[in-house]
Amino acid sequence: MKTLVVLRHGKSDWDVPATDADRPLGKRGRRQAEEAGQWLADHGPALDVAVLSPARRARETWERASGRLDEPPPVRVDEAAYTFDGAGL
């Protein structure tokens, strides 16, 4: 059986003038990302692949979270992860 782990990006910084796709993590979001990575390291299953949205905040979240893992999985950036609407499930 496969296990799907969904990790949402950390809190973004709305004070930065940026498009939605280019919005960075805020201070709180950076902390949240590291805490999520530590939780995954302590409790999560081994990961086969990480599928990321191309959004800056998603990539920054994964960079910080995966830094807590002993063996981060390969990463695949996929536009569908940014525009996901649940269609076709």
Side-chain angles (χ1 to χ4, degrees):
M1 179 186 329
K2 298 282 184 176
T3 300
L4 174 65
V5 177
V6 179
L7 174 65
R8 188 180 189 280
H9 64 77
K11 181 74 174 159
S12 57
D13 187 348
W14 284 82
D15 292 331
V16 174
T19 64
D20 183 67
D22 292 327
R23 189 170 300 115
L25 288 177
K27 182 179 178 182
R28 181 171 137 200
R30 291 188 295 272
R31 179 181 40 83
Q32 290 171 325
E34 292 182 12
E35 290 171 351
Q38 190 60 56
W39 189 92
L40 281 172
D42 293 342
H43 306 286
L47 303 174
D48 295 323
V49 64
V51 180
L52 305 182
S53 160
R56 179 178 172 184
R57 62 192 174 274
R59 290 179 287 115
E60 288 178 356
T61 295
W62 182 247
E63 182 178 312
R64 289 177 174 276
S66 66
R68 300 295 181 120
L69 303 177
D70 290 335
E71 293 186 40
V75 171
R76 188 177 90 210
V77 177
D78 190 326
E79 182 67 29
Y82 179 75
T83 58
F84 180 73
D85 64 4
L89 290 181

